[in-house]
Amino acid sequence: QVVIMTDSKSKPRYEKITSSDGSSLETLESHLLGRLVEIVNTEVSRGVITNKSQAIDWVKGTFFFARVRKNMHDKSEEQQDAYLRHKCLGSLEELHRAGIIELQEDGLGIKPLAGCHVMSKHMVAFDDMKAIIDLPHDAGPLQLLQMLSKVEGLHRPVRRDEKKQLKEANNKDIKYQLEGAPSKISIQTPSQKAFVLLQCAIGQVFLENSTLRQEMSHMVDQASRIIAACEVFSIDGSRHGQVALQSLL
């Protein structure tokens, strides 16, 4: 049995999906695997998972495990369990290699480090947390902007009709410009777009394109969360204050 929390508008859809009379044509699938590293990290941070056995048992209690049983029905239970164990322990190893958790010498115990709690509290994706950890101790505004521009949550597609305004903003309105001759600069990637728009937000540059203004506002919201994580980690995790200082500027 499960409890689904939703709004009144969506209630009929979920009632149909979960109908027990066989009328539903939709198959519910779990998307946990795509975020398994982040989810396992959260449970380690909360103290729910303290060793490898608990990690495996926790995953076995999820809807993801039920779908593994269903989708791998042609495999034996031993093979299914081996697949689950591989994915679960692989996530722990990734967190350990990144310096987010520590796997005890006995090979079983799990110790959450500062990055574990920061990543969970601020809802930071695994790759973004690794980027925060890899920031140099003397990171300045440029390094922070470069790191933020690579955060997937800030990425929006570059549209043809906005390239001219983005190029003008890069060449005239922001402090840190993209590398290359101004006349040859062309904003092609979501990362380049984020790099320019974040600085437009800092400099309060007005953009005529309303879509760009909306996207810039969204990027600022997302970047604020990542900067808060940088600030806390630079104090609690890396034991230096330079990144924290730059995060506040």
Side-chain angles (χ1 to χ4, degrees):
Q1 293 184 346
V2 297
V3 175
I4 299 176
M5 300 182 68
T6 186
D7 53 31
S8 299
K9 183 178 179 181
S10 304
K11 182 179 177 182
R13 177 173 181 269
Y14 286 105
E15 286 179 334
K16 183 178 179 181
I17 292 175
T18 58
S19 174
S20 59
D21 61 9
S23 61
S24 175
L25 299 178
E26 295 186 63
T27 299
L28 290 176
E29 286 293 352
S30 169
H31 296 277
L32 182 146
L33 184 59
R35 290 296 181 189
L36 185 59
V37 176
E38 288 87 352
I39 293 170
V40 167
N41 177 77
T42 295
E43 299 306 320
V44 172
S45 175
R46 294 174 58 220
V48 173
I49 293 175
T50 61
N51 58 60
K52 292 182 178 180
S53 296
Q54 286 181 346
I56 295 170
D57 289 341
W58 185 89
V59 176
K60 284 186 175 181
T62 65
F63 179 60
F64 167 64
F65 179 63
R67 294 310 302 166
V68 167
R69 285 281 194 246
K70 184 72 173 179
N71 293 333
M72 297 180 65
H73 61 86
D74 57 330
K75 306 293 184 181
S76 67
E77 285 195 8
E78 289 77 12
Q79 289 174 309
Q80 294 173 10
D81 288 346
Y83 169 80
L84 191 75
R85 180 181 178 85
H86 171 71
K87 293 297 183 182
C88 186
L89 297 185
S91 296
L92 291 173
E93 287 291 342
E94 286 191 82
L95 290 166
H96 173 68
R97 287 195 296 270
I100 296 172
I101 65 171
E102 180 180 304
L103 297 179
Q104 301 295 310
E105 292 183 0
D106 59 12
L108 299 175
I110 302 171
K111 178 184 177 181
L113 302 178
C116 174
H117 299 305
V118 171
M119 180 176 164
S120 175
K121 180 179 179 181
H122 295 276
M123 295 182 290
V124 179
F126 176 56
D127 287 340
D128 299 336
M129 192 65 225
K130 288 194 294 182
I132 291 174
I133 293 173
D134 289 341
L135 279 172
H137 77 278
D138 57 348
L142 176 58
Q143 287 86 353
L144 286 172
L145 283 166
Q146 290 171 335
M147 183 273 291
L148 288 170
S149 67
K150 295 176 184 177
V151 173
E152 188 176 353
L154 275 68
H155 289 176
R156 292 296 181 270
V158 181
R159 303 171 188 85
R160 183 177 298 178
D161 64 345
E162 62 191 29
K163 287 186 177 181
K164 181 180 179 181
Q165 189 169 8
L166 287 169
K167 180 177 180 178
E168 290 177 352
N170 176 77
N171 293 345
K172 300 177 181 178
D173 299 323
I174 63 177
K175 181 176 182 180
Y176 303 105
Q177 299 177 349
L178 294 168
E179 294 183 2
S183 60
K184 296 183 179 180
I185 287 293
S186 178
I187 311 299
Q188 300 285 350
T189 68
S191 179
Q192 290 175 325
K193 179 177 178 177
F195 185 76
V196 172
L197 288 184
L198 284 172
Q199 294 187 76
C200 286
I202 294 170
Q204 298 182 331
V205 176
F206 177 76
L207 300 172
E208 294 181 1
N209 187 307
S210 60
T211 301
L212 282 179
R213 293 200 302 270
Q214 292 174 357
E215 291 178 334
M216 182 171 65
S217 177
H218 170 80
M219 289 179 188
V220 169
D221 289 341
Q222 295 295 316
S224 296
R225 177 173 51 82
I226 302 300
I227 288 175
C230 284
E231 179 188 350
V232 175
F233 180 74
S234 67
I235 296 171
D236 296 345
S238 58
R239 300 303 178 189
H240 61 77
Q242 182 67 20
V243 173
L245 176 62
Q246 295 295 349
S247 298
L248 295 172
L249 296 179

